[in-house]
Amino acid sequence: MTSASELRSGKGDRDENFPVASWIIHPRHRALILAYYNFVRTADDIADHATLPPDQKLAYLDLLEAELLGKGDTQPEAVSLRRALAERDMAPRHALDVLIAFRMDVTKLRYETWDEVIHYCRYSAMPVGRFMLDVHGESTSTWAASDALCAGLQINNHLQDCGKDYRELNRVYLPRDALAAHGATVEQLGLAQSPPAMLACLQSLAARNEALLGEGRSLAAEIRDFRLGVDVSVIQAYADRIVRLLKVRDPLRERVHLNKFELLAFSLAGIIGEVGRRAIHRKAISRPGTAHDA
């Protein structure tokens, strides 16, 4: 069978809400993180391939899983991740989880409720955050906030690309009940501009997602690793800005992504904010009796 990495989906450069290989991360972790990223990206390309039949997509995803688990050496991304995980004595659970989501992308084109979308995010997005936390030796107590942030990032992406996903893949992540509640239809996603009903639906979902992102706002403070905490703070800043745009813009008509200037500005804001928060916290705990000195 052809190497899965040769099955490029033809998307070209894509907007990423999951900058998992950030330059902020310590160099000792980057090889493993990039191996995970390349594995996930290859699986994503398979699931989103424009012409590959569904049964062949599933066969390729099964092959990636088998070789990740040591049953063969024909798929370089699987072999590379398997070896990188073995060097750190880590299990492949978070890579196996994302394969569940990519199989869903092949077989499930519609979602009935918000809870169904969150279930999808449990496998498409939450494993990415959990993987990063495990790589850095963080406590599983951080998973709740990480899950909320990662699901929020994923739903931001669903809202940003709702038109493209429908037109190119006939895939709709907007819950049917939310569409029905506003009198919107799936077919309206093929238009160049959202009718009032669709715009109201999209913006209500953005508002709901803003609340979900709020549940993840404590994550940076819960993380012990300085670099990872700063990285998460930057990602949170990106996500907050994007969801604010989604609350007021029409993603069928307007680009709802950050430009280079905004990426730089929100990166700096996130870095300064987290570095400052940690500096203040360290100063406070280094003088625990200060409040009673007077």
Side-chain angles (χ1 to χ4, degrees):
M1 185 176 280
T2 304
S3 169
S5 59
E6 296 175 34
L7 298 171
R8 310 314 299 179
S9 62
K11 292 179 183 177
D13 294 333
R14 284 169 288 193
D15 298 286
E16 295 291 348
N17 283 343
F18 291 98
V20 296
S22 168
W23 58 269
I24 299 172
I25 296 298
H26 196 285
R28 70 173 176 271
H29 299 308
R30 289 180 191 161
L32 173 55
I33 292 169
L34 283 171
Y36 181 82
Y37 177 88
N38 288 334
F39 179 88
V40 171
R41 182 51 62 210
T42 298
D44 188 25
D45 282 338
I46 293 168
D48 290 353
H49 197 280
T51 60
L52 201 65
D55 60 339
Q56 290 188 32
K57 291 181 179 183
L58 294 173
Y60 272 109
L61 293 172
D62 288 346
L63 180 61
L64 283 177
E65 177 173 315
E67 297 207 357
L68 178 64
L69 296 175
K71 303 172 186 176
D73 298 296
T74 66
Q75 307 301 309
E77 290 79 13
V79 174
S80 176
L81 178 57
R82 185 180 78 212
R83 291 172 177 168
L85 289 168
E87 289 176 2
R88 300 281 288 267
D89 196 26
M90 290 180 63
R93 59 183 299 186
H94 303 308
L96 296 175
D97 277 352
V98 294
L99 290 179
I100 294 173
F102 294 130
R103 291 187 180 101
M104 291 173 67
D105 279 337
V106 176
T107 61
K108 185 177 177 67
L109 300 178
R110 301 291 186 270
Y111 291 80
E112 299 299 324
T113 65
W114 177 267
D115 286 345
E116 279 195 13
V117 175
I118 295 297
H119 175 73
Y120 171 78
C121 293
R122 161 63 185 87
Y123 295 101
S124 68
M126 296 179 192
V128 177
R130 295 179 180 189
F131 168 78
M132 291 292 290
L133 292 166
D134 280 1
V135 167
H136 288 81
E138 298 292 336
S139 168
T140 56
S141 66
T142 60
W143 281 15
S146 174
D147 288 352
L149 174 58
C150 289
L153 289 165
Q154 181 73 81
I155 293 169
N156 268 356
N157 187 255
H158 289 165
L159 296 174
Q160 288 170 302
D161 295 337
C162 59
K164 183 174 70 173
D165 286 340
Y166 175 70
R167 291 189 305 270
E168 297 180 5
L169 300 167
N170 189 30
R171 194 182 294 156
V172 179
Y173 296 102
L174 309 184
R176 286 187 198 265
D177 63 354
L179 290 167
H182 290 86
T185 66
V186 165
E187 291 73 23
Q188 290 172 346
L189 291 170
L191 301 175
Q193 179 173 334
S194 293
M198 176 58 75
L199 187 60
C201 177
L202 291 169
Q203 293 181 350
S204 71
L205 289 171
R208 187 167 188 177
N209 197 43
E210 185 175 44
L212 178 61
L213 285 168
E215 295 176 20
R217 193 157 288 114
S218 65
L219 179 59
E222 295 177 18
I223 289 172
R224 294 171 300 175
D225 184 272
F226 173 75
R227 284 176 177 252
L228 182 61
V230 171
D231 195 47
V232 165
S233 184
V234 169
I235 293 170
Q236 182 82 52
Y238 292 167
D240 289 343
R241 173 57 177 167
I242 289 169
V243 81
R244 287 195 295 270
L245 292 175
L246 286 165
K247 288 173 61 182
V248 298
R249 290 187 183 177
D250 176 6
L252 297 187
R253 184 173 62 88
E254 304 169 270
R255 179 177 170 83
V256 190
H257 295 86
L258 302 185
N259 58 39
K260 291 181 178 180
F261 174 78
E262 289 174 312
L263 286 170
L264 177 60
F266 285 101
S267 293
L268 290 174
I271 291 169
I272 292 169
E274 183 60 15
V275 169
R277 187 198 65 76
R278 288 179 179 251
I280 291 169
H281 180 66
R282 276 200 307 272
K283 186 174 181 180
I285 63 175
S286 68
R287 299 180 60 196
T290 300
H292 305 287
D293 288 347

Coordinates of all heavy atoms in Angstrom, one line a residue, residues 206-251:
A206 N -21.0 30.8 18.6 CA -19.8 31.5 19.0 C -19.9 31.9 20.5 O -18.9 31.8 21.2 CB -19.5 32.7 18.1
A207 N -21.0 32.4 20.9 CA -21.2 32.9 22.3 C -21.1 31.7 23.2 O -20.5 31.8 24.3 CB -22.5 33.6 22.4
R208 N -21.7 30.6 22.8 CA -21.6 29.4 23.6 C -20.2 28.9 23.7 O -19.7 28.4 24.8 CB -22.5 28.3 23.1 CG -22.6 27.0 24.0 CD -23.8 26.1 23.5 NE -24.0 25.1 24.5 CZ -25.0 24.2 24.4 NH1 -25.8 24.2 23.4 NH2 -25.1 23.3 25.4
N209 N -19.5 29.0 22.6 CA -18.1 28.5 22.6 C -17.2 29.5 23.5 O -16.2 29.1 24.1 CB -17.5 28.4 21.2 CG -16.3 27.6 21.1 OD1 -16.2 26.6 21.8 ND2 -15.3 28.1 20.4
E210 N -17.5 30.8 23.5 CA -16.8 31.7 24.3 C -16.9 31.3 25.8 O -15.9 31.3 26.5 CB -17.4 33.1 24.2 CG -16.6 34.2 24.9 CD -17.1 35.6 24.6 OE1 -18.3 35.7 24.6 OE2 -16.3 36.5 24.4
A211 N -18.0 30.8 26.2 CA -18.2 30.3 27.6 C -17.3 29.1 27.8 O -16.7 28.9 28.9 CB -19.7 30.0 27.9
L212 N -17.3 28.2 26.8 CA -16.5 27.0 26.9 C -15.0 27.4 27.0 O -14.3 26.8 27.9 CB -16.7 26.1 25.7 CG -15.9 24.8 25.6 CD1 -16.2 23.9 26.8 CD2 -16.1 24.1 24.3
L213 N -14.5 28.3 26.2 CA -13.1 28.7 26.3 C -12.9 29.3 27.7 O -11.7 29.2 28.2 CB -12.8 29.8 25.3 CG -12.7 29.2 23.8 CD1 -12.7 30.4 22.8 CD2 -11.4 28.4 23.7
G214 N -13.9 30.0 28.3 CA -13.7 30.5 29.7 C -13.4 29.4 30.7 O -12.7 29.7 31.6
E215 N -13.9 28.2 30.4 CA -13.7 27.1 31.4 C -12.2 26.6 31.3 O -11.7 26.0 32.2 CB -14.6 25.9 31.0 CG -16.1 26.2 31.3 CD -17.0 25.1 30.8 OE1 -16.5 23.9 30.7 OE2 -18.2 25.3 30.6
G216 N -11.5 27.0 30.2 CA -10.1 26.6 30.1 C -9.1 27.7 30.5 O -7.9 27.4 30.4
R217 N -9.6 28.8 30.9 CA -8.8 29.9 31.2 C -7.8 29.7 32.3 O -6.8 30.4 32.4 CB -9.6 31.2 31.4 CG -8.8 32.5 31.3 CD -9.6 33.7 31.0 NE -10.0 33.7 29.5 CZ -11.2 33.6 29.1 NH1 -12.2 33.4 30.0 NH2 -11.5 33.6 27.8
S218 N -8.1 28.8 33.2 CA -7.2 28.5 34.4 C -6.0 27.7 34.0 O -5.1 27.5 34.8 CB -8.0 27.9 35.5 OG -8.5 26.6 35.1
L219 N -6.0 27.1 32.8 CA -5.0 26.1 32.4 C -3.6 26.6 32.6 O -2.7 25.9 33.2 CB -5.2 25.6 31.0 CG -4.2 24.5 30.5 CD1 -4.2 23.3 31.4 CD2 -4.5 24.1 29.1
A220 N -3.3 27.8 32.1 CA -1.9 28.3 32.1 C -1.4 28.3 33.6 O -0.2 28.0 33.9 CB -1.8 29.6 31.5
A221 N -2.3 28.8 34.5 CA -1.9 28.9 35.9 C -1.7 27.5 36.5 O -1.0 27.4 37.5 CB -2.9 29.7 36.6
E222 N -2.4 26.5 36.0 CA -2.3 25.2 36.6 C -1.1 24.4 36.2 O -0.7 23.4 36.8 CB -3.6 24.3 36.2 CG -4.9 24.9 36.7 CD -6.1 24.1 36.2 OE1 -5.9 23.0 35.8 OE2 -7.2 24.6 36.3
I223 N -0.4 24.9 35.1 CA 0.7 24.2 34.5 C 2.0 24.6 35.3 O 2.2 25.8 35.5 CB 0.8 24.5 33.0 CG1 -0.3 23.8 32.3 CG2 2.2 24.1 32.5 CD1 -0.4 24.2 30.8
R224 N 2.8 23.6 35.6 CA 4.1 23.9 36.3 C 5.2 24.4 35.4 O 6.0 25.2 35.7 CB 4.5 22.7 37.1 CG 3.6 22.3 38.2 CD 4.0 20.9 38.8 NE 3.9 19.9 37.8 CZ 4.3 18.6 37.9 NH1 4.8 18.2 39.1 NH2 4.2 17.7 37.0
D225 N 5.3 23.7 34.2 CA 6.3 24.0 33.3 C 6.2 25.5 32.7 O 5.1 25.8 32.2 CB 6.3 23.1 32.1 CG 7.4 23.3 31.1 OD1 7.3 24.1 30.2 OD2 8.5 22.6 31.3
F226 N 7.2 26.3 32.9 CA 7.1 27.7 32.6 C 6.8 27.9 31.1 O 5.9 28.6 30.7 CB 8.4 28.4 32.9 CG 8.5 29.8 32.5 CD1 7.8 30.8 33.1 CD2 9.3 30.2 31.4 CE1 7.9 32.1 32.6 CE2 9.4 31.5 30.9 CZ 8.7 32.5 31.5
R227 N 7.6 27.2 30.2 CA 7.5 27.4 28.8 C 6.1 27.0 28.3 O 5.4 27.7 27.5 CB 8.6 26.7 28.0 CG 9.9 27.3 28.1 CD 10.9 26.4 27.4 NE 12.3 27.0 27.3 CZ 12.8 27.4 26.2 NH1 12.2 27.4 25.0 NH2 14.1 27.9 26.2
L228 N 5.6 25.8 28.8 CA 4.3 25.4 28.4 C 3.2 26.3 28.9 O 2.2 26.6 28.1 CB 4.1 23.9 28.9 CG 2.7 23.3 28.5 CD1 2.6 23.2 26.9 CD2 2.5 21.9 29.1
G229 N 3.4 26.8 30.1 CA 2.4 27.8 30.6 C 2.3 29.0 29.7 O 1.2 29.5 29.5
V230 N 3.4 29.5 29.3 CA 3.4 30.7 28.4 C 2.8 30.3 27.1 O 2.0 31.1 26.5 CB 4.9 31.2 28.2 CG1 5.0 32.3 27.2 CG2 5.4 31.7 29.6
D231 N 3.2 29.2 26.5 CA 2.6 28.8 25.3 C 1.1 28.7 25.3 O 0.4 29.2 24.4 CB 3.2 27.4 24.9 CG 2.9 27.1 23.4 OD1 3.2 27.9 22.6 OD2 2.5 25.9 23.1
V232 N 0.6 28.1 26.4 CA -0.9 28.0 26.6 C -1.5 29.4 26.7 O -2.6 29.6 26.2 CB -1.2 27.1 27.8 CG1 -2.7 27.3 28.2 CG2 -0.9 25.7 27.5
S233 N -0.9 30.3 27.4 CA -1.4 31.6 27.5 C -1.5 32.3 26.2 O -2.5 33.0 25.9 CB -0.5 32.4 28.4 OG -1.0 33.7 28.7
V234 N -0.5 32.1 25.3 CA -0.6 32.6 23.9 C -1.7 32.0 23.1 O -2.5 32.7 22.5 CB 0.8 32.4 23.2 CG1 0.6 32.7 21.7 CG2 1.9 33.2 23.9
I235 N -1.9 30.7 23.2 CA -3.0 30.0 22.5 C -4.3 30.5 23.0 O -5.3 30.7 22.2 CB -2.8 28.5 22.7 CG1 -1.6 28.0 22.0 CG2 -4.1 27.8 22.2 CD1 -1.2 26.6 22.3
Q236 N -4.5 30.7 24.3 CA -5.7 31.2 24.9 C -6.0 32.6 24.3 O -7.2 32.9 24.0 CB -5.6 31.3 26.4 CG -6.9 31.7 27.1 CD -8.0 30.7 27.2 OE1 -7.7 29.6 27.7 NE2 -9.2 30.9 26.8
A237 N -5.0 33.4 24.2 CA -5.2 34.8 23.7 C -5.7 34.7 22.2 O -6.6 35.5 21.8 CB -3.9 35.6 23.8
Y238 N -5.1 33.8 21.4 CA -5.6 33.7 20.0 C -7.0 33.3 20.0 O -7.8 33.8 19.3 CB -4.8 32.5 19.3 CG -3.3 32.8 19.0 CD1 -2.5 31.7 18.7 CD2 -2.8 34.1 19.1 CE1 -1.1 31.9 18.4 CE2 -1.4 34.3 18.8 CZ -0.6 33.2 18.5 OH 0.7 33.4 18.2
A239 N -7.3 32.2 20.8 CA -8.7 31.7 20.8 C -9.7 32.7 21.2 O -10.8 32.8 20.7 CB -8.8 30.5 21.8
D240 N -9.4 33.5 22.3 CA -10.3 34.6 22.7 C -10.6 35.6 21.7 O -11.7 36.0 21.5 CB -9.8 35.2 24.0 CG -9.8 34.3 25.2 OD1 -10.5 33.3 25.2 OD2 -9.1 34.6 26.2
R241 N -9.5 36.0 20.9 CA -9.7 37.0 19.9 C -10.6 36.4 18.7 O -11.5 37.1 18.2 CB -8.3 37.4 19.3 CG -8.4 38.3 18.1 CD -9.2 39.6 18.4 NE -9.1 40.4 17.2 CZ -9.9 41.5 17.1 NH1 -10.8 41.8 18.0 NH2 -9.8 42.2 16.0
I242 N -10.3 35.2 18.3 CA -11.1 34.6 17.2 C -12.5 34.4 17.6 O -13.4 34.7 16.8 CB -10.5 33.2 16.9 CG1 -9.1 33.4 16.2 CG2 -11.4 32.4 16.0 CD1 -8.3 32.1 16.0
V243 N -12.8 34.0 18.8 CA -14.2 33.8 19.2 C -15.0 35.2 19.3 O -16.2 35.3 18.9 CB -14.4 33.0 20.5 CG1 -14.2 33.9 21.7 CG2 -15.7 32.3 20.5
R244 N -14.2 36.2 19.6 CA -14.8 37.5 19.6 C -15.2 38.0 18.2 O -16.2 38.6 17.9 CB -13.9 38.6 20.3 CG -13.9 38.4 21.8 CD -13.2 39.7 22.5 NE -11.9 39.8 22.1 CZ -10.8 39.3 22.8 NH1 -11.0 38.6 23.8 NH2 -9.6 39.6 22.4
L245 N -14.3 37.7 17.3 CA -14.6 38.0 15.8 C -15.8 37.2 15.3 O -16.6 37.7 14.6 CB -13.3 37.6 15.0 CG -12.1 38.5 15.2 CD1 -11.0 38.0 14.3 CD2 -12.4 40.0 14.8
L246 N -15.9 35.9 15.7 CA -17.0 35.1 15.3 C -18.3 35.5 15.8 O -19.3 35.3 15.2 CB -16.7 33.6 15.7 CG -15.6 32.9 15.0 CD1 -15.2 31.6 15.7 CD2 -16.1 32.5 13.6
K247 N -18.3 36.3 16.9 CA -19.5 36.8 17.5 C -20.1 38.0 16.7 O -21.3 38.3 16.8 CB -19.3 37.2 18.9 CG -19.2 36.0 19.9 CD -18.8 36.5 21.3 CE -19.9 37.4 21.9 NZ -19.5 37.8 23.2
V248 N -19.3 38.6 15.8 CA -19.7 39.8 15.1 C -19.5 39.7 13.6 O -20.0 40.5 12.9 CB -19.0 41.1 15.6 CG1 -19.3 41.3 17.1 CG2 -17.4 40.9 15.5
R249 N -18.8 38.7 13.1 CA -18.5 38.6 11.7 C -19.3 37.4 11.1 O -19.7 36.5 11.8 CB -17.0 38.4 11.4 CG -16.2 39.7 11.7 CD -14.8 39.5 11.2 NE -14.0 40.7 11.5 CZ -12.7 40.8 11.3 NH1 -12.1 39.8 10.7 NH2 -12.0 41.9 11.6
D250 N -19.4 37.4 9.8 CA -20.0 36.3 9.0 C -18.9 35.5 8.4 O -18.3 35.9 7.4 CB -21.0 36.9 8.0 CG -21.6 35.9 7.1 OD1 -21.4 34.7 7.4 OD2 -22.3 36.2 6.1
P251 N -18.7 34.3 8.9 CA -17.6 33.5 8.3 C -17.8 33.0 6.9 O -16.9 32.6 6.2 CB -17.5 32.3 9.2 CG -18.8 32.2 9.9 CD -19.3 33.6 10.0

